[in-house]
Amino acid sequence: MNVRISDGWKRLLGEEFEQPYFAELAEFVRSEYCGGVIYPPAANIFRAFDKCDPEAVKVVIIGQDPYHGPRQANGLCFSVSDGVPFPPSLMNIFKEIEDEFGTPRPSTGNLDRWADQGVLLLNSVLTVRASSPASHSGHGWERFTDAVVSRLNAERAGVVYMLWGSYARRKGAVIDRSRNLVLECAHPSPLSAHSGFFGCGHFRKANDYLVAAGNEGINW
């Protein structure tokens, strides 16, 4: 199947695109976009991959499914486009970064600037029906993104994985912790941020690990 995704990821994931489950997933997604309002815009489904080639990945942050409100989802987990108000989880992420580094919160929730530095902002499910969270779960996206994590783990070492919440921790169970840094804590949602996300120090720990290995840290 000819999937519009960057060449680096096509090399890494090409076998997945030929699997029967992926053909069924593609047909489901196509029919959903034809029949209603789906997020993100179709051109942005694989945007997280197009913004960050596998060879450039330094950090992986795993989300669940895209935002389901108007104008929010832009293909990168937790990210919103310029001019869109910060969702609560993203607000808490910026609060933690402010606490760790003393830097003011940014004026935009667009996380392209992270992706351009090697942060793969990966949702487990890449599409969602408007106003209907988890509506595209269970149709094959999870298997595809499991393969992303597994193949990246097999091919790359020295990567930082940020696993926030039980869902992301399960997703990252395959990661070889002897070759990578795995950081786990509560999800930044307002329902759980005070149970371990605030004060986790993940962003500074990630940079310390990268710098110790001779790489450049992320300008969060």
Side-chain angles (χ1 to χ4, degrees):
M1 180 178 294
N2 185 22
V3 176
R4 293 182 180 179
I5 196 170
S6 73
D7 289 342
W9 288 108
K10 186 169 288 189
R11 176 189 60 79
L12 198 67
L13 301 169
E15 293 180 5
E16 293 302 308
F17 301 138
E18 303 306 319
Q19 298 295 319
Y21 88 88
F22 196 87
E24 294 175 8
L25 169 62
E27 182 56 35
F28 167 76
V29 170
R30 190 178 299 113
S31 66
E32 286 285 286
Y33 273 93
C34 288
V37 178
I38 307 299
Y39 300 124
N44 289 344
I45 293 175
F46 293 107
R47 189 161 177 268
F49 302 94
D50 296 333
K51 293 288 292 180
C52 186
D53 281 337
E55 297 81 6
V57 173
K58 296 178 178 179
V59 178
V60 179
I61 298 177
I62 297 178
Q64 194 158 351
D65 63 346
Y67 296 123
H68 53 85
R71 299 176 55 238
Q72 289 183 312
N74 66 6
L76 309 180
C77 74
F78 294 107
S79 176
V80 293
S81 298
D82 294 335
V84 176
F86 300 166
S89 291
L90 183 57
M91 181 72 80
N92 287 338
I93 289 169
F94 289 151
K95 181 181 185 304
E96 175 60 24
I97 292 171
E98 183 178 18
D99 289 346
E100 290 185 34
F101 295 99
T103 53
R105 298 180 198 182
S107 59
T108 176
N110 189 336
L111 302 182
D112 280 13
R113 61 189 183 279
W114 293 3
D116 290 339
Q117 297 176 78
V119 182
L120 178 63
L121 294 158
L122 178 67
N123 273 317
S124 176
V125 176
L126 302 187
T127 55
V128 69
R129 198 175 302 135
S131 304
S132 185
S135 51
H136 284 189
S137 297
H139 290 276
W141 278 131
E142 295 92 340
R143 179 172 172 180
F144 173 72
T145 52
D146 280 347
V148 172
V149 175
S150 179
R151 302 283 174 82
L152 193 63
N153 174 69
E155 182 155 306
R156 292 287 316 282
V159 174
V160 181
Y161 291 85
M162 294 185 180
L163 308 179
W164 301 334
S166 58
Y167 185 94
R169 288 197 292 271
R170 290 194 299 271
K171 192 86 173 169
V174 69
I175 299 164
D176 184 347
R177 295 169 186 240
S178 70
R179 300 170 64 242
N180 303 281
L181 177 63
V182 177
L183 301 173
E184 299 182 354
C185 69
H187 193 276
S189 161
L191 299 176
S192 56
H194 289 280
S195 298
F197 180 78
F198 289 140
C200 68
H202 280 190
F203 302 96
R204 186 172 291 280
K205 289 174 183 177
N207 279 3
D208 288 347
Y209 178 82
L210 293 170
V211 171
N215 298 311
E216 190 173 347
I218 306 297
N219 181 4
W220 299 107

